[in-house]
């Protein structure tokens, strides 16, 4: 017997995929619209950065933290007992730290570094953030101040 896909089977396979793709598109557009309304410059996981605030979460229940007094670090670590590296972003505050981690990839590592640098620049830690903490990437015509 020669198996053939009938139009009904093709519909059963294709329609759910189209519905999921449409839902993902709508959710992404809604998040982009919300980010635009909030003035979000950059995001990492559920951390969103505006010129003056850090937003944790999304929607009406998102927490807003002023950037003054906060600092961010991005690191890559290998957790004990795991063979995969992780990327960590830590927002340090006098009260409590906000920590986020993602599985390591070049993209997540670069996103974490970019988020931490932009965060520290906006929070007023410009000299250390511009040098990367150790002077790497400092142009020769820049002052070390």
């Amino acid at each position: 017997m020669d198996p053939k896909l009938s139009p009904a089977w093709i519909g059963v396979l294709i329609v759910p995929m189209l519905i999921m793709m449409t839902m993902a598109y709508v959710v992404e557009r809604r998040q982009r619209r919300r980010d635009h309304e909030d003035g979000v410059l950059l995001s990492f996981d559920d951390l969103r950065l505006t010129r003056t605030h850090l937003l944790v979460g999304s929607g009406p229940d998102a927490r807003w933290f002023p950037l003054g007094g906060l600092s961010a670090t991005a690191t890559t670590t290998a957790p004990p007992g795991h063979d995969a590296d992780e990327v960590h972003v830590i927002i340090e505050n006098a009260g409590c730290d906000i920590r986020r981690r993602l599985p390591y990839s070049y993209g997540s590592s670069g996103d974490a570094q970019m988020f931490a640098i932009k965060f520290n620049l906006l929070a007023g830690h410009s000299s250390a953030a511009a040098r990367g903490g150790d002077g790497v990437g400092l142009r020769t015509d820049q002052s070390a101040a």
Side-chain angles (χ1 to χ4, degrees):
M1 183 146 96
D2 189 23
K4 290 187 178 183
L5 289 176
S6 70
W9 274 110
I10 293 173
V12 167
L13 295 174
I14 300 296
V15 169
M17 195 167 21
L18 289 174
I19 291 172
M20 289 187 337
M21 289 171 51
T22 302
M23 288 175 52
Y25 176 77
V26 168
V27 168
E28 177 67 23
R29 292 296 297 170
R30 185 179 306 150
Q31 183 63 42
R32 284 184 184 219
R33 191 175 321 123
R34 186 177 298 131
D35 285 351
H36 182 70
E37 290 170 0
D38 291 338
V40 173
L41 303 171
L42 198 58
S43 62
F44 180 81
D45 199 19
D46 70 336
L47 303 175
R48 300 181 305 144
L49 183 63
T50 70
R51 291 196 180 282
T52 58
H53 288 85
L54 169 70
L55 285 73
V56 179
S58 62
D61 61 342
R63 295 181 297 168
W64 291 64
F65 296 97
L67 293 180
L70 301 176
S71 65
T73 57
T75 58
T76 302
T77 61
H82 293 77
D83 56 349
D85 291 344
E86 293 180 334
V87 176
H88 296 262
V89 170
I90 302 169
I91 310 295
E92 297 172 350
N93 186 359
C96 63
D97 293 345
I98 300 169
R99 299 173 180 266
R100 296 296 182 267
R101 69 177 182 206
L102 293 176
Y104 176 83
S105 71
Y106 287 122
S108 63
S109 177
D111 290 347
Q113 292 294 328
M114 184 172 34
F115 185 85
I117 290 170
K118 185 72 167 179
F119 185 99
N120 289 327
L121 285 170
L122 292 172
H125 308 292
S126 60
S127 61
R131 290 192 310 269
D134 61 355
V136 174
L138 186 64
R139 293 189 333 227
T140 56
D141 60 341
Q142 288 179 323
S143 65

